[in-house]
Amino acid sequence: MEQKQSNQHEIDYMPWLAKTDEQKKEQLQFQARMSEAYTCSFGTDCFVSPRALFFPDDIQMGDRSYIAAGAIIRNTSLVMGADCSINAYAIVTGKVTMGDGVRIATHANIYGFNHGYASTEQPIFKQPLTTKGIRIGDDVWIGANAVILDGVQIGSHSIIAAGAIVTKDVPSYSIVGGNPAKVIRSRLTNDLRTPQEKPKLEQQLQAFGSKVKEQLEPLLRHYAVSTSEERYFQDRLGFKRTVRAYCDAVEIAAMFDSLPPHMTKEELIATLQSFQNAQTGLLPDPWSPPDADRDEPHLLSDHLSRYHLLAVGYALEVLGASLLHPVHAVEQFTTEQLYKQLEALPWENGAWGCGDWIDCYATGLYLNLKHFGSEKRPDDLFGWLQTHIVRTSGLWGSPTKEEGWLQPVNGFYRLTRATYAQFDQPLPYPDITIDTVLAHSRNPQFFRDDQLNACNVLDVIHPLWLCMKQTDYRKEEIVEWAKTHIDKLISLWVDNRGFSFQIKQQAETGLQGTEMWLSILFLLADVCGVSHSLGYRPKGVHRIESAYQL
């Protein structure tokens, strides 16, 4: 009996020692009790010590992540990726998001909130708390007794030295230490940028991000419309009404941890929820409805309904809400019906649309899993994708004579966004995919300055960014391509109006172009290791964090 208690004590402080079936069973039972008391989700082989102290609002733990005895998790919205650990007596509080492989040592303190102190007429303890949140990238080691303050973003592959007091963003691959913490050196031994180039690029991005933040409210008000009957957002002035405009306004504001002006949070939630059809769970556009004689909701036939599932579903999550009804049209698919539909899609000449269909279907699965307690998983979908990928290209579908690789590359983005990226699964052939996507990125038919549009650039940079999570293959070329497009983008911002979807049509700025290009710019900067300089992070459809741990 003493030996068993001793072993359990060791496991509480060193969770990786829990290996027996009995220990795992006890842990699952404890997790079930936690889920009854709090909003929690746990990946495979997680361990949370009963000796840790919990007062959370929401916890999401990825596979093989640990919280050891004595850790204090309080008043927090905590997202942990896979293979993360919070060791004994560490404190995590406020809004904190971690990537994969984050290790937090003993007695580290992570504070994702702050006390308000603007007023000198009122005691500080009576002033409202503020929360910007802390974001920690992948593969980060936070040393013992380190302190990280609210609003900080820590780049991937960084090391926070023991005792460091981190008050500012940390670039990727950095080692920082001291009070206040400063960069001691970079972990990169083959960084392509010269010392002179590094600060210039980062300063450009910082200045750009600050400018966008300053112009955020007048920009969003420019696309806001008020009538005697209602208030709404419009993609472009004089343009037809769309569902997407509301979502783009929400996501642009959320990049800066804000809300769009003109409508209250409650009004936005109610409006977005009202677009859903209770019977199908889909979201047809009331201003561009599908053809009633040709629409087949059970087959997800309407392209606007498909995209709105993404746009509205994620925008509601950004607002702290969700759809009112499950996505019944997705839930009803059997594996046999799914495979029949996937085989019927036009992979030979329309792989982009095929990816769009899968994006909707997989997002419907995700929304049902997360918000409606569904047990329907995407395992059969991943099985089909694994057996139908073209091994010589790393993509799905075929190039066409007229458009080359455009259809398969753009389709790859759409389908992997909702599957491999959304559910945090490794890509089958990342090196081969990089070869194909880079070849496409040099096609002058789509990548001349006068031809660039947001879809085509996004559908290159996101696949490259996703592949780089698994490999450094051809990294130098990817970084160079990204830098070239960063330079183009930041010079084309229109003050208080944003970006146009077609990069050279600056007179046609809109919410869609602005939301997409801001997200693209973040991805471009992220592959260069300098996204922290922008001061914002994509949310919603274009968020870079995985959404659900299978």
Side-chain angles (χ1 to χ4, degrees):
M1 186 69 176
E2 283 186 14
Q3 182 64 37
K4 181 177 179 179
Q5 290 178 343
S6 176
N7 288 343
Q8 182 59 49
H9 194 67
E10 289 178 354
I11 291 167
D12 279 327
Y13 288 90
M14 295 178 285
W16 53 90
L17 297 178
K19 295 181 180 179
T20 69
D21 291 341
E22 181 181 358
Q23 291 164 342
K24 292 180 179 180
K25 181 180 178 181
E26 290 176 354
Q27 175 60 202
L28 290 174
Q29 292 172 344
F30 177 69
Q31 291 176 15
R33 294 195 296 273
M34 285 208 38
S35 296
E36 292 176 359
Y38 307 107
T39 303
C40 302
S41 65
F42 302 95
T44 303
D45 293 330
C46 287
F47 184 94
V48 179
S49 171
R51 294 173 181 265
L53 299 178
F54 288 93
F55 313 97
D57 296 324
D58 182 21
I59 293 181
Q60 299 177 44
M61 294 179 66
D63 297 343
R64 303 172 301 280
S65 288
Y66 308 133
I67 299 177
I72 299 176
I73 313 297
R74 62 183 175 92
N75 301 328
T76 185
S77 174
L78 173 62
V79 177
M80 301 170 67
D83 301 300
C84 294
S85 62
I86 299 176
N87 279 289
Y89 308 112
I91 297 175
V92 179
T93 183
K95 184 178 180 181
V96 179
T97 301
M98 306 176 193
D100 298 332
V102 176
R103 300 288 170 156
I104 300 174
T106 301
H107 293 290
N109 296 271
I110 301 177
Y111 297 109
F113 80 100
N114 206 345
H115 284 286
Y117 54 86
S119 173
T120 58
E121 305 297 324
Q122 188 178 29
I124 292 173
F125 76 90
K126 290 186 177 181
Q127 297 188 46
L129 298 178
T130 61
T131 300
K132 297 179 181 178
I134 292 171
R135 293 189 174 274
I136 304 170
D138 299 328
D139 183 34
V140 173
W141 177 18
I142 298 172
N145 293 295
V147 176
I148 301 173
L149 300 185
D150 189 36
V152 165
Q153 295 188 35
I154 298 178
S156 297
H157 316 292
S158 295
I159 297 171
I160 310 302
I165 310 296
V166 185
T167 61
K168 296 181 179 179
D169 290 350
V170 175
S172 299
Y173 292 96
S174 296
I175 299 175
V176 302
N179 180 11
K182 297 180 180 179
V183 176
I184 298 171
R185 67 178 177 86
S186 171
R187 294 181 62 209
L188 295 173
T189 57
N190 58 344
D191 195 344
L192 300 176
R193 297 173 294 161
T194 66
Q196 293 76 26
E197 187 181 7
K198 285 182 186 178
K200 179 182 178 182
L201 179 59
E202 293 174 17
Q203 287 172 15
Q204 284 178 320
L205 293 173
Q206 184 176 9
F208 175 81
S210 297
K211 177 169 66 175
V212 176
K213 185 175 183 179
E214 290 172 3
Q215 298 179 11
L216 188 63
E217 184 169 344
L219 183 152
L220 291 171
R221 287 195 181 279
H222 177 73
Y223 300 104
V225 179
S226 292
T227 70
S228 58
E229 298 178 350
E230 63 176 331
R231 290 175 290 176
Y232 59 91
F233 288 95
Q234 206 167 19
D235 179 63
R236 284 167 276 168
L237 297 188
F239 194 64
K240 65 180 181 180
R241 293 281 299 276
T242 64
V243 171
R244 180 169 180 167
Y246 294 91
C247 305
D248 286 330
V250 168
E251 293 182 2
I252 292 168
M255 291 185 191
F256 297 89
D257 297 317
S258 182
L259 288 169
H262 185 60
M263 296 177 70
T264 67
K265 179 179 178 180
E266 291 71 25
E267 287 174 326
L268 286 165
I269 291 172
T271 300
L272 292 174
Q273 289 175 334
S274 73
F275 294 126
Q276 189 181 27
N277 181 293
Q279 282 69 47
T280 65
L282 299 177
L283 298 102
D285 195 313
W287 302 285
S288 299
D291 185 336
D293 295 330
R294 301 176 62 184
D295 187 33
E296 297 180 283
H298 66 288
L299 296 179
L300 313 178
S301 62
D302 176 47
H303 72 100
L304 286 178
S305 297
R306 290 199 300 265
Y307 192 82
H308 294 159
L309 189 62
L310 282 62
V312 175
Y314 292 130
L316 284 168
E317 288 189 337
V318 166
L319 294 169
S322 67
L323 296 171
L324 294 176
H325 311 285
V327 188
H328 300 296
V330 167
E331 193 74 9
Q332 57 87 25
F333 268 90
T334 66
T335 297
E336 182 180 1
Q337 291 168 333
L338 172 64
Y339 285 3
K340 182 178 179 180
Q341 176 65 17
L342 292 173
E343 296 288 352
L345 294 175
W347 294 99
E348 289 299 316
N349 56 16
W352 192 348
C354 302
D356 169 86
W357 193 94
I358 290 174
D359 199 355
C360 170
Y361 177 82
T363 300
L365 290 179
Y366 155 68
L367 293 171
N368 288 347
L369 279 165
K370 182 171 182 180
H371 300 294
F372 299 101
S374 172
E375 296 182 356
K376 185 178 178 64
R377 290 165 51 92
D379 303 317
D380 51 1
L381 175 58
F382 277 110
W384 191 93
L385 292 172
Q386 191 73 25
T387 55
H388 286 74
I389 190 169
V390 181
R391 297 188 180 188
T392 54
S393 69
L395 313 181
W396 289 265
S398 305
T400 65
K401 183 178 180 181
E402 297 78 15
E403 297 177 307
W405 285 105
L406 179 73
Q407 290 283 332
V409 169
N410 290 12
F412 178 94
Y413 161 66
R414 290 298 302 275
L415 78 84
T416 58
R417 190 213 66 80
T419 53
Y420 295 91
Q422 182 158 248
F423 291 108
D424 196 25
Q425 299 297 305
L427 294 167
Y429 305 108
D431 288 5
I432 298 171
T433 299
I434 287 173
D435 284 337
T436 309
V437 173
L438 281 178
H440 168 64
S441 75
R442 293 180 171 87
N443 185 340
Q445 182 179 356
F446 306 108
F447 293 96
R448 295 197 315 267
D449 286 356
D450 61 337
Q451 293 296 320
L452 287 176
N453 68 51
C455 276
N456 290 346
V457 178
L458 173 65
D459 295 356
V460 164
I461 191 56
H462 189 278
L464 293 175
W465 171 87
L466 190 59
C467 289
M468 287 179 69
K469 296 182 75 174
Q470 296 175 234
T471 178
D472 287 335
Y473 179 64
R474 298 183 71 175
K475 179 180 177 180
E476 298 178 7
E477 296 169 72
I478 296 171
V479 169
E480 191 58 39
W481 192 89
K483 287 181 181 179
T484 299
H485 287 80
I486 288 173
D487 289 340
K488 293 174 184 176
L489 263 181
I490 59 178
S491 65
L492 292 170
W493 174 266
V494 179
D495 283 342
N496 299 313
R497 299 293 182 267
F499 287 113
S500 63
F501 176 81
Q502 192 81 21
I503 200 168
K504 284 296 186 180
Q505 296 176 355
Q506 292 173 277
E508 297 185 16
T509 59
L511 291 174
Q512 179 182 345
T514 300
E515 191 280 329
M516 290 187 71
W517 283 116
L518 287 175
S519 299
I520 290 165
L521 184 59
F522 184 94
L523 291 168
L524 292 166
D526 206 49
V527 302
C528 298
V530 292
S531 59
H532 61 277
S533 302
L534 285 165
Y536 68 82
R537 197 174 188 87
K539 303 287 179 68
V541 172
H542 298 120
R543 66 182 173 200
I544 65 171
E545 296 82 15
S546 61
Y548 193 91
Q549 296 290 329
L550 293 175

